[in-house]
């Protein structure tokens, strides 16, 4: 029953999902999976050059994010801090200097059970989420096995452009009428 609440991974646009500084190409997408599979240690993402990881997560609609779970090893490779940004597509490490919507000090969570509740007012209309993990507990690289996202999803409303022309006053040439011939009727 608890797993149903962590179903936002189904609403991620996986074609456009990015993980910057991942050692193995495409491994960042594997950490977003069903709650029941969170303890699968065969799928993980590990940072490449240093301990930083940055996820750019586009959704297929609008999300109200209520909570996050981050599962790693019970050692120095577990992330120590998480910074969340909303609605900044294609974020880079240069953009992480901006003030995040919310910052979390993480605890080691090898079982994937610690939930970090978000400030719902700040994350009520999210179409794109960026997760920055700037540091870990002292290792050279960061390793994440599972990221759970809890919240509500609503379908995106696509507003198409409608082009309308309005007349300020009618042009009589546009409104021709058939010639009216008067008829006289006598009643006797």
């Amino acid at each position: 029953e608890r797993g149903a609440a962590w179903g936002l991974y189904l609403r991620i646009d996986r074609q456009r999902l990015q993980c910057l500084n991942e050692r193995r190409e495409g491994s960042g997408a594997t950490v977003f999976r069903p709650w029941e599979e969170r303890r699968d240690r065969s799928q993980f993402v590990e940072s490449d050059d240093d301990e930083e990881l940055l996820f750019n997560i586009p959704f297929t609609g609008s999300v109200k994010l209520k909570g996050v779970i981050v599962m790693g090893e019970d050692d120095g490779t577990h992330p120590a801090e998480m910074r969340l940004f909303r609605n900044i597509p294609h974020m880079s490490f240069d953009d992480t200097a901006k003030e995040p919507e919310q910052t979390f000090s993480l605890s080691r969570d090898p079982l994937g059970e610690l939930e970090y509740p978000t400030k719902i007012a700040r994350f009520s209309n999210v179409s794109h989420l960026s997760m920055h993990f700037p540091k870990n507990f002292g290792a050279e690289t960061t390793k994440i096995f599972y990221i759970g996202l809890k919240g509500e999803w609503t379908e995106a409303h696509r507003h198409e452009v409608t082009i309308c022309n309005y007349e300020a006053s009618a042009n009589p040439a546009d409104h021709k009428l058939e010639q009216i011939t008067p008829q006289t009727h006598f009643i006797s």
Side-chain angles (χ1 to χ4, degrees):
E1 185 177 310
R2 184 175 180 200
W6 297 93
L8 279 183
Y9 73 95
L10 293 168
R11 306 303 184 180
I12 295 173
D13 184 352
R14 293 197 176 264
Q15 302 298 321
R16 297 182 339 183
L17 179 104
Q18 281 185 317
C19 181
L20 303 182
N21 197 33
E22 61 187 350
R23 178 167 287 173
R24 204 170 19 95
E25 184 74 28
S27 61
T30 65
V31 301
F32 298 97
R33 57 181 183 263
W35 168 261
E36 299 79 28
E37 298 175 18
R38 73 187 185 284
R39 294 195 175 139
D40 176 10
R41 296 227 177 253
S42 67
Q43 298 180 24
F44 61 89
V45 63
E46 186 173 7
S47 62
D48 191 19
D49 295 331
D50 55 19
E51 71 276 6
E52 279 190 276
L53 280 171
L54 177 62
F55 291 89
N56 284 313
I57 308 160
F59 293 104
T60 58
S62 181
V63 166
K64 181 187 289 186
L65 186 66
K66 296 181 178 180
V68 179
I69 288 179
V70 179
M71 186 178 118
E73 289 281 11
D74 195 10
D75 62 11
T77 64
H78 194 290
E81 184 179 319
M82 174 175 63
R83 303 170 76 229
L84 299 181
F85 299 86
R86 68 177 177 88
N87 300 334
I88 307 174
H90 311 294
M91 191 169 175
S92 68
F93 285 109
D94 294 336
D95 298 323
T96 61
K98 296 178 183 178
E99 187 68 27
E101 298 295 326
Q102 193 168 358
T103 302
F104 297 92
S105 293
L106 303 179
S107 299
R108 290 186 178 119
D109 185 15
L111 300 177
E113 294 178 343
L114 293 176
E115 179 181 340
Y116 299 95
T118 61
K119 296 175 182 171
I120 296 175
R122 290 191 179 181
F123 294 97
S124 64
N125 191 13
V126 179
S127 60
H128 189 281
L129 179 68
S130 296
M131 303 176 81
H132 179 223
F133 297 94
K135 59 185 178 181
N136 59 24
F137 286 98
E140 288 185 20
T141 62
T142 298
K143 195 183 276 190
I144 298 174
F145 289 94
Y146 172 79
I147 295 177
L149 302 173
K150 181 170 87 171
E152 298 171 8
W153 177 84
T154 54
E155 191 172 355
H157 298 289
R158 304 270 185 229
H159 297 287
E160 295 186 19
V161 176
T162 305
I163 299 173
C164 298
N165 291 325
Y166 294 97
E167 296 178 350
S169 62
N171 182 356
D174 291 340
H175 307 282
K176 292 186 180 186
L177 297 173
E178 294 294 323
Q179 185 66 22
I180 300 175
T181 55
Q183 296 183 353
T184 312
H185 298 282
F186 293 103
I187 301 176
S188 49

